[in-house]
């Protein structure tokens, strides 16, 4: 335990290890539930329910359709959809056909879409109709031969589907003209109804998924994970929360996008491991829909991000007491730091507990997480869950492990049984990230004597002010303490006098005003002079990723363009 100080602070009953893991694929895990309770709800979408048994049958049908089209084991099938049932059916269908599910953000620009399709080399794409034309416009520049279109109305209840068809389908861009040679998702399912289980053998070590990185250092890369990796991830998360989540009993509100590691390798796999139910919300930014869906389904587990918690707390449905969120008993927050005030306010509102987690696309949800029942330390991302090992590596010599304590900041290095196998066909990029079975995260932080981890910043985001290092995260946390500040981002911008200068972009709370001088005076009370933002810009909103992570690089890019 000497090199794993976190073990002594695990919640009661949480095991130090889950080894040996059963040799299972994701399909095996799902079929276990089918054999025990085939009618248990797996998916809920806008009033429509799909049981585990129905998902098993529909994905069998889709797998057989893919095989008949010529999809072979190891081929990549691109999924270009938000959170709709067809995403899950197609993903399991791809797995059953022996293919790799390549999960692509449908909101990508055409340039980004072309890059993602070429990066994974997919020859088949399953696309929601709203994004069909975008994929068709870039298809000729990619290897895509087959396009399968899925309409959101296919899994809407009858009355909702009728209203959607009459009022929204054409106006919102969901109605398309299918081009020659392309396929309708539902037609394929009907064609292969009753076709039985596909005759393809898949094993735990087979490649299962491609998830695209956030692209913080350039264009996104395609991280590959195995079946075994995803199964392990789900089992670790369920074990961590075993004192509050019960098998067959939980309803997971899934508003975070399934094309992202948080929802796909995290939420979805925890659902399967706990034999729970997954409630799909297609647009996480539709806050009223998120809250009304929680109320209607009595969701118990709400994985989210700080920006969503904030948006909910400030929404009229909450401030006017028009929504009941008390079914929630556990939340996990990721992507960025959770403010203490946000945490306490949301816990009071729901009666739930919020824990914070940390993972990367490349780690396939080998997470660090704060304990559910144990001590919460402000600013900490928690500790490694069972079978995840973290050390703090010296930035100058990554073979050297730094001692515990706030004064020993280094790079967080992960070791876990489910790390990505590598970036698809990019051995050099893989070698930079994976060394001797360890994942070098690029995040700077330290571990205290109790095994709690604290992120200081991204290694590449450090601001150099006259030779001094400033970590944006530290400045952001101070600014977040200001009572008028709702959201904040800090980054370095070019400055001829000091090489770089610290700039803060701030979104104020509704109905208040502030000046740059007021903000800087507040910072001077808590930060050394060179850390105080020299520039402050007030904005109505900050640019964010699809999972609500503030995009510092976009703010810096805007700044550079203004200075040209």
């Amino acid at each position: 335990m000497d090199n794993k100080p976190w073990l002594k602070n695990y919640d009661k009953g949480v095991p130090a290890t889950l080894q040996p893991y059963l040799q299972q694929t994701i399909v095996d895990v799902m079929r276990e539930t089918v054999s025990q309770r085939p009618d248990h709800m797996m998916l809920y979408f806008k009033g429509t329910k799909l049981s585990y048994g129905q998902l098993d049958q529909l994905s069998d049908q889709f797998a057989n359709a893919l095989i008949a089209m010529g999809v072979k084991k190891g081929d990549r099938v691109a999924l270009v959809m938000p959170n709709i049932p067809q995403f899950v059916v197609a993903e399991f269908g791809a797995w059953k056909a022996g293919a790799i599910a390549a999960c692509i953000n449908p909101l990508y620009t055409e340039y980004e879409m072309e890059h993602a399709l070429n990066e994974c080399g997919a020859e088949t794409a399953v696309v929601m109709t709203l994004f069909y034309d975008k994929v068709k416009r870039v298809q000729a520049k990619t290897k895509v031969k087959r396009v399968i279109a899925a309409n959101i109305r296919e899994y809407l209840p009858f009355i909702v589907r009728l209203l959607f068809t009459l009022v929204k389908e054409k106006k919102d861009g969901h109605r398309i003209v299918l081009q020659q040679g392309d396929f309708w998702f539902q037609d394929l399912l009907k064609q292969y109804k009753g076709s039985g289980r596909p005759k393809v053998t898949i094993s735990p070590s087979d490649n299962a998924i491609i998830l695209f990185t956030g692209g913080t250092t350039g264009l996104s890369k395609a991280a590959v994970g195995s079946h075994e990796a995803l199964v392990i991830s789900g089992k670790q998360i369920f074990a961590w929360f075993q004192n509050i989540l019960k098998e067959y009993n939980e309803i997971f509100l899934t508003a975070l996008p399934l094309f992202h590691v948080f929802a796909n390798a995290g939420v979805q796999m925890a659902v399967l491991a706990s034999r729970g139910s997954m409630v799909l919300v297609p647009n996480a930014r539709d806050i009223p829909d998120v809250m009304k869906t929680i109320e209607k389904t009595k969701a118990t587990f709400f994985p989210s991000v700080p920006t969503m918690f904030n948006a909910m707390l400030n929404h009229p449905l909450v401030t006017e007491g028009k929504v009941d969120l008390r079914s929630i008993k556990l939340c996990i927050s990721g992507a960025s730091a959770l403010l203490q005030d946000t945490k306490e306010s949301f816990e009071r509102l729901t009666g739930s507990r919020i824990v914070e987690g940390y993972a990367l696309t490349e780690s396939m949800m080998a997470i660090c997480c704060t304990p559910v029942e144990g001590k919460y330390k402000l600013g900490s991302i928690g500790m490694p869950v069972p079978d995840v090992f973290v050390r703090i590596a010296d930035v100058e010599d990554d073979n050297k492990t730094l001692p515990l304590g706030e004064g020993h900041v280094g790079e967080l290095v992960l070791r876990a049984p489910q790390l990505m196998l590598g970036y698809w066909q990019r051995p050099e990029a893989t070698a930079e990230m994976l060394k001797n079975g360890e994942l070098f995260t690029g995040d700077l932080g330290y571990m205290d004597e109790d095994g709690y981890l604290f992120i200081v910043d991204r290694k590449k985001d450090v601001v150099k002010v006259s030779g001094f290092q400033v970590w944006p995260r530290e400045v952001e946390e101070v600014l977040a303490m200001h009572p008028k500040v709702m959201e904040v981002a800090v980054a370095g911008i070019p400055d001829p006098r000091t090489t770089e200068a610290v700039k803060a972009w701030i979104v104020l709370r509704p109905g208040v005003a502030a000046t740059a001088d007021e903000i800087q005076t507040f910072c001077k009370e808590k930060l050394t002079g060179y850390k105080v933002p020299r520039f402050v810009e007030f904005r109505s909103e900050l640019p964010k990723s699809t999972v609500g992570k503030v995009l510092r690089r976009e703010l810096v890019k805007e700044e550079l363009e203004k200075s040209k």
Side-chain angles (χ1 to χ4, degrees):
M1 192 181 292
D2 289 341
N3 65 342
K4 297 180 181 179
W6 53 85
L7 292 180
K8 65 179 182 288
N9 293 301
Y10 272 15
D11 285 339
K12 185 179 179 181
V14 176
T17 180
L18 302 177
Q19 296 175 338
Y21 290 92
L22 293 176
Q23 289 294 296
Q24 292 179 309
T25 66
I26 310 153
V27 175
D28 294 332
V29 175
M30 181 191 69
R31 282 178 174 161
E32 273 186 356
T33 306
V34 173
S35 68
Q36 295 172 21
R37 298 190 191 179
D39 296 328
H40 185 62
M41 184 176 77
M42 168 55 184
L43 292 178
Y44 177 97
F45 180 73
K46 302 292 183 184
T48 294
K49 298 177 182 178
L50 286 181
S51 69
Y52 275 83
Q54 288 172 312
L55 175 61
D56 190 33
Q57 291 175 6
L58 290 170
S59 53
D60 278 351
Q61 292 161 217
F62 191 67
N64 284 315
L66 291 175
I67 294 165
M69 287 177 181
V71 173
K72 302 179 296 299
K73 189 169 181 177
D75 285 354
R76 279 75 62 212
V77 174
L79 308 181
V80 188
M81 293 175 277
N83 292 3
I84 57 176
Q86 294 96 320
F87 186 111
V88 183
V89 172
E91 188 173 41
F92 272 90
W95 288 333
K96 289 178 176 182
I100 304 168
C103 306
I104 297 177
N105 183 351
L107 298 178
Y108 274 165
T109 63
E110 288 184 23
Y111 174 71
E112 292 167 323
M113 184 69 67
E114 178 188 336
H115 166 77
L117 289 168
N118 282 325
E119 191 72 6
C120 67
E123 295 185 351
T124 306
V126 188
V127 185
M128 192 171 89
T129 52
L130 188 62
F131 310 102
Y132 175 80
D133 289 341
K134 184 193 295 183
V135 170
K136 294 301 290 184
R137 285 194 292 269
V138 303
Q139 183 179 354
K141 303 173 189 175
T142 72
K143 294 181 180 179
V144 174
K145 300 175 182 176
R146 299 171 284 269
V147 178
I148 302 166
N151 194 311
I152 194 171
R153 72 180 180 190
E154 293 162 358
Y155 285 96
L156 294 175
F158 175 73
I159 296 298
V160 180
R161 183 167 70 247
L162 184 62
L163 289 171
F164 174 82
T165 304
L166 293 173
V167 179
K168 281 191 159 190
E169 185 179 18
K170 184 176 181 180
K171 180 169 71 76
D172 291 354
H174 290 271
R175 187 173 297 169
I176 63 165
V177 176
L178 197 71
Q179 294 188 29
Q180 186 174 2
D182 292 344
F183 306 86
W184 283 111
F185 188 85
Q186 283 299 309
D187 287 350
L188 292 174
L189 293 184
K190 289 174 186 175
Q191 184 179 347
Y192 289 89
K193 188 172 182 178
S195 54
R197 289 189 174 181
K199 296 176 175 60
V200 176
T201 301
I202 55 175
S203 66
S205 60
D206 286 344
N207 293 341
I209 198 162
I210 284 176
L211 294 167
F212 285 85
T213 63
T216 54
T217 55
L219 287 168
S220 295
K221 295 185 284 291
V224 185
S226 68
H227 278 270
E228 181 180 34
L230 296 180
V231 171
I232 288 171
S233 172
K235 290 183 182 297
Q236 288 173 348
I237 295 168
F238 185 39
W240 191 252
F241 298 132
Q242 66 181 21
N243 294 335
I244 197 166
L245 300 183
K246 304 303 176 187
E247 195 173 66
Y248 282 112
N249 202 44
E250 308 306 334
I251 299 173
F252 293 67
L253 195 287
T254 312
L256 298 173
L258 283 167
F259 58 75
H260 189 272
V261 67
F262 194 166
N264 200 305
V267 181
Q268 183 178 220
M269 295 307 137
V271 170
L272 291 166
S274 65
R275 312 193 193 285
S277 305
M278 187 161 62
V279 175
L280 298 178
V281 175
N283 181 7
R285 297 184 182 185
D286 188 345
I287 299 300
D289 186 37
V290 172
M291 293 194 289
K292 288 173 183 176
T293 304
I294 291 171
E295 184 175 48
K296 185 172 185 178
T297 61
K298 305 299 180 191
T300 58
F301 187 22
F302 180 38
S304 191
V305 292
T307 49
M308 194 183 298
F309 290 125
N310 263 325
M312 292 169 74
L313 286 168
N314 288 288
H315 196 277
L317 284 173
V318 167
T319 57
E320 296 171 15
K322 293 180 179 178
V323 66
D324 183 359
L325 306 177
R326 288 173 295 177
S327 64
I328 300 170
K329 57 186 182 182
L330 180 65
C331 305
I332 181 169
S333 178
S336 58
L338 180 68
L339 302 184
Q340 180 75 1
D341 179 62
T342 303
K343 172 181 164 64
E344 292 175 353
S345 297
F346 201 84
E347 287 178 340
R348 280 196 303 272
L349 174 70
T350 59
S352 67
R353 170 84 176 199
I354 301 183
V355 298
E356 290 192 72
Y358 164 87
L360 295 83
T361 303
E362 292 90 344
S363 74
M364 293 290 154
M365 289 305 287
I367 64 168
C368 299
C369 193
T370 55
V372 178
E373 298 165 342
K375 186 175 182 180
Y376 175 79
K377 294 191 179 186
L378 182 62
S380 174
I381 57 168
M383 59 192 72
V385 301
D387 298 322
V388 176
F389 179 82
V390 178
R391 70 181 180 93
I392 308 298
D394 188 300
V395 175
E396 303 300 327
D397 178 6
D398 59 31
N399 290 314
K400 180 182 176 183
T401 299
L402 297 177
L404 304 178
E406 189 173 351
H408 301 286
V409 172
E411 183 173 1
L412 273 68
V413 178
L414 296 175
R415 185 184 292 273
Q418 75 261 44
L419 302 180
M420 73 166 182
L421 300 171
Y423 296 118
W424 184 257
Q425 294 187 341
R426 290 199 178 273
E428 290 181 4
T430 299
E432 288 179 13
M433 195 86 175
L434 285 173
K435 303 172 190 176
N436 299 317
E438 292 185 317
L439 180 70
F440 286 74
T441 67
D443 286 321
L444 297 177
Y446 64 92
M447 180 183 292
D448 72 9
E449 63 281 355
D450 293 323
Y452 283 72
L453 289 156
F454 295 80
I455 298 287
V456 174
D457 227 314
R458 287 287 301 172
K459 190 163 66 173
K460 296 181 185 297
D461 286 345
V462 172
V463 185
K464 299 286 183 66
V465 181
S466 298
F468 292 100
Q469 291 188 335
V470 180
W471 291 305
R473 174 74 174 268
E474 180 184 9
V475 183
E476 287 171 352
E477 288 184 353
V478 168
L479 286 166
M481 296 177 193
H482 195 290
K484 294 182 180 179
V485 172
M486 186 167 78
E487 291 183 331
V488 60
V490 170
I493 61 172
D495 183 80
R497 185 160 61 88
T498 58
T499 307
E500 283 189 298
V502 178
K503 178 167 180 175
W505 292 263
I506 291 172
V507 177
L508 296 172
R509 293 187 183 278
V512 301
T515 65
D517 185 61
E518 177 185 347
I519 296 296
Q520 289 162 333
T521 299
F522 178 82
C523 289
K524 286 174 184 175
E525 297 173 1
K526 302 178 186 301
L527 294 169
T528 307
Y530 64 84
K531 297 181 182 179
V532 174
R534 177 119 61 86
F535 303 99
V536 176
E537 180 181 326
F538 298 103
R539 300 168 61 105
S540 59
E541 61 180 358
L542 298 175
K544 299 183 182 77
S545 70
T546 50
V547 292
K549 189 172 185 177
V550 175
L551 299 174
R552 289 178 184 149
R553 67 182 184 275
E554 292 297 325
L555 294 167
V556 173
K557 182 180 176 183
E558 288 178 23
E559 195 70 27
L560 293 174
E561 288 175 353
K562 281 194 292 187
S563 63
K564 285 180 181 178

